[in-house]
Amino acid sequence: MIVDTSKKILIVGLGLLGGSYARILKRFGFHISAITLEQSSIDYALGENIIDEGTTELDENMIGSADLVIFALYPHVFVEWIEKNQNLLKSGALITDVTGVKRSIVYQIQNMLRPDVEFVAAHPMAGREVSGVENSTDKLFIGANYIVTPTEKNTPEAVHTVIELGRLLGFSNVTTLSPEEHDEMIGFLSQLTHCIAITLMTCNDKENMEKFTGDSFRDLTRIARINDLMWSELFVSNKDVLLEQMNLFIDKFNELRTMLESEDIESMRAMMRHSTERRALFDKK
């Protein structure tokens, strides 16, 4: 379906991710509509030719004519939208999302969703430390990963469409995981790293340190500039996995601490060599 540019795409939530989706998909010739909270976001997107039409209201015609609906909302807002408004979706519509947790919403939404509408969940592993459609870019997904999380309720055709959406958006790596595998992976690769950045940024409040720092500290704490409303929800939604990952980190950190206390240089060097080897695997190709 996604290669057919006669299909209409609706984006619900026109922020950084929603705006970046819109920029890219409109460039391919799709008709892009948007619903979002702020009229200023709609005005900006229309002025910059990011979308074809947009509103802050529940426009029944706009929703009912969309073949593909992309939800770029906080998890609980996404669930509430489906609960209240799914009757407005056209029969045969496909919906997907950008949500950073999956177990807590995928099954819930699929269980409540009308049988003539299909939801295939996805997670674009990309972002910036700024928000809003005005900060969106058609380069955001270059070199990034895109994870599709189908379930047994999904059809092969719909899963293929969402996979092709990721490729069309320019992601370098498009993969599929179960919602459980996704949340386990994301608990380590994304949520734990944000926890570490937050902790590092707040464990020492000595004044004027920003005047003396180097790039290593800036690089390590880049993600400490954080949307507290969204990330606290993501943490709690994946609480069991994140606590397990935090314990693994604490145990390994304590190993390093013990090596330092005992001046076990050989063990420290071995850990550093292992770190160096592992880090090379994560460089963007």
Side-chain angles (χ1 to χ4, degrees):
M1 183 191 80
I2 195 64
V3 295
D4 183 356
T5 56
S6 69
K7 301 296 186 180
K8 291 187 176 182
I9 298 177
L10 169 64
I11 297 173
V12 182
L14 196 64
L16 175 68
L17 287 176
S20 297
Y21 271 53
R23 286 179 186 273
I24 297 167
L25 295 172
K26 193 170 188 311
R27 188 180 67 201
F28 282 101
F30 290 99
H31 181 279
I32 307 296
S33 57
I35 298 175
T36 201
L37 286 175
E38 301 294 334
Q39 184 61 45
S40 59
S41 298
I42 296 296
D43 293 341
Y44 177 86
L46 288 170
E48 295 295 316
N49 200 32
I50 298 171
I51 61 175
D52 293 290
E53 57 179 341
T55 180
T56 59
E57 307 293 331
L58 284 173
D59 187 309
E60 294 187 14
N61 290 330
M62 191 178 293
I63 298 169
S65 64
D67 301 288
L68 174 66
V69 186
I70 300 165
F71 287 90
L73 303 172
Y74 291 174
H76 77 279
V77 178
F78 179 25
V79 172
E80 290 172 2
W81 198 102
I82 295 298
E83 283 178 330
K84 296 176 182 178
N85 306 308
Q86 64 168 298
N87 62 298
L88 301 177
L89 297 165
K90 74 183 293 185
S91 180
L94 173 62
I95 68 175
T96 188
D97 69 331
V98 304
T99 313
V101 288
K102 294 308 179 195
R103 290 176 303 163
S104 61
I105 65 162
V106 171
Y107 303 112
Q108 186 178 1
I109 289 177
Q110 287 185 339
N111 287 337
M112 74 170 74
L113 198 60
R114 290 162 32 199
D116 59 337
V117 175
E118 187 166 354
F119 170 43
V120 179
H123 184 190
M125 295 289 291
R128 301 175 67 188
E129 289 67 61
V130 289
S131 60
V133 65
E134 65 274 12
N135 290 303
S136 63
T137 169
D138 60 3
K139 304 292 193 300
L140 185 63
F141 308 129
I142 296 174
N145 297 318
Y146 180 82
I147 305 171
V148 182
T149 59
T151 73
E152 61 183 12
K153 289 197 171 188
N154 290 128
T155 61
E157 295 79 12
V159 173
H160 176 73
T161 295
V162 176
I163 288 172
E164 287 303 306
L165 173 64
R167 291 174 177 152
L168 198 63
L169 288 166
F171 287 92
S172 297
N173 189 43
V174 178
T175 55
T176 60
L177 294 173
S178 70
E180 291 76 16
E181 290 170 327
H182 169 276
D183 285 2
E184 180 182 7
M185 199 73 67
I186 227 66
F188 175 70
L189 291 173
S190 178
Q191 294 178 341
L192 177 63
T193 55
H194 281 79
C195 289
I196 293 169
I198 293 165
T199 305
L200 185 57
M201 202 68 250
T202 57
C203 70
N204 187 335
D205 286 336
K206 188 173 181 179
E207 294 183 359
N208 299 317
M209 293 183 74
E210 69 277 5
K211 297 179 181 178
F212 312 110
T213 188
D215 286 341
S216 59
F217 186 84
R218 292 191 189 94
D219 290 345
L220 198 56
T221 58
R222 176 182 61 82
I223 55 176
R225 295 180 60 181
I226 194 166
N227 180 330
D228 58 289
L229 182 62
M230 180 181 75
W231 280 96
S232 59
E233 180 177 352
L234 294 176
F235 285 177
V236 172
S237 296
N238 205 29
K239 174 183 173 182
D240 57 338
V241 170
L242 181 53
L243 286 172
E244 181 180 347
Q245 298 300 328
M246 291 173 82
N247 287 334
L248 288 174
F249 177 80
I250 291 168
D251 290 345
K252 185 60 67 172
F253 192 87
N254 282 332
E255 281 185 33
L256 181 58
R257 188 177 189 278
T258 299
M259 293 174 198
L260 179 60
E261 284 181 331
S262 61
E263 299 185 12
D264 184 353
I265 293 175
E266 287 305 312
S267 294
M268 279 195 287
R269 290 185 63 191
M271 187 175 179
M272 291 172 185
R273 288 194 296 270
H274 182 56
S275 168
T276 300
E277 292 170 3
R278 287 282 295 158
R279 181 60 181 83
L281 300 175
F282 289 76
D283 290 336
K284 289 184 178 181
K285 302 298 187 288

